[in-house]
Amino acid sequence: MPFIELPTGAGIDYIDMGGDNPVMMLLHGFLGTGDTQFPNVVEWLMPNYRVIAPTMRGYGNSTPKPRKFPHDFYQIDARDMLALLDALHIQKTHLMGFSDGGEVSLLMAGYAPDRFLSVGVWGAVGYYGAAMRPHAQRMFPATWMTDETKARHQIAHADAFVLGWIKTIHALIDSGGDVSRSLAPQMTMPLLMMLGDKDYLNPPEYAQEIIIRATNAHLEMFNCGHAVHTEAWADFQRVVSQFLTDVNS
């Protein structure tokens, strides 16, 4: 996979596949990488899109190490990804993101709306409310984290790693919860938000607050949990295909 040093201080490992097709940037979530979290999505998109799937700073082979979670880590990741588009001389792209990658995608949509032909996110709502606190807390202790995951991201102390993320999420909740909700009026591109009805980390009423503020947005619900792209793959394909067809028509 190619690797590029960005002026933001990040070194980004990324997939770049699909030749001269329209560009689709695809952003992974917590503990993901560009090449491991959604191979089904990459394979599905590749016949029609040049897929750029970066691994965000500190994850996988991207730098700096270790991955950290300062109070503005979503904003840092968004700036990295916009800088990656600059470095690759990509002026216009479609954008899709899952979970934390969805939160980053929503920020990018608010920061630089003119750069995105469309944005689609799942498992992300742009806001951390009180209802999310107990679900975030359940990530600790990190007994669920596999040795393979620890090795992939060079995580020496899994509990400390997860606690860093939880503490930042709690701080976001305590400070009012806004990640990208306040930027919604700037999200002028077609925006598709997708949630599983059993994704208890992301209540649909939080997503609705972006839907009503954005220019051209809608929410699709699925009968599944957080990972819509694996738990409801056929429905995910159907909804995203129709969305992209409408955008491109």
Side-chain angles (χ1 to χ4, degrees), residues 48-150:
N48 298 305
Y49 294 93
R50 175 188 172 191
V51 178
I52 307 292
T55 296
M56 288 186 279
R57 65 161 63 205
Y59 287 120
N61 293 323
S62 292
T63 60
K65 297 289 188 184
R67 171 72 186 192
K68 295 182 179 179
F69 299 99
H71 72 280
D72 58 346
F73 77 91
Y74 285 129
Q75 289 81 3
I76 291 170
D77 287 333
R79 289 192 290 269
D80 284 345
M81 295 301 99
L82 289 169
L84 176 61
L85 291 175
D86 289 341
L88 297 177
H89 307 291
I90 295 170
Q91 297 302 314
K92 291 274 191 178
T93 181
H94 299 276
L95 176 63
M96 293 177 64
F98 166 54
S99 196
D100 275 4
E103 300 295 355
V104 173
S105 297
L106 289 170
L107 278 168
M108 294 168 69
Y111 288 161
D114 292 343
R115 299 196 73 162
F116 301 107
L117 300 166
S118 72
V119 175
V121 302
W122 64 104
V125 292
Y127 177 80
Y128 278 85
M132 292 178 167
R133 188 186 299 272
H135 303 290
Q137 187 61 43
R138 292 189 189 110
M139 298 282 281
F140 181 84
T143 51
W144 49 268
M145 193 182 297
T146 66
D147 290 341
E148 180 184 11
T149 296
K150 295 174 193 175

Side-chain angles (χ1 to χ4, degrees), residues 125-132 181 193 201-211:
V125 292
Y127 177 80
Y128 278 85
M132 292 178 167
R181 178 186 286 183
M193 300 184 74
L201 184 64
N202 293 289
E205 57 267 29
Y206 291 174
Q208 287 290 356
E209 293 297 324
I210 283 187
I211 298 299

Side-chain angles (χ1 to χ4, degrees), residues 153-167:
H153 303 292
Q154 302 173 38
I155 297 171
H157 304 288
D159 280 352
F161 181 91
V162 169
L163 273 176
W165 182 84
I166 291 171
K167 288 179 179 178

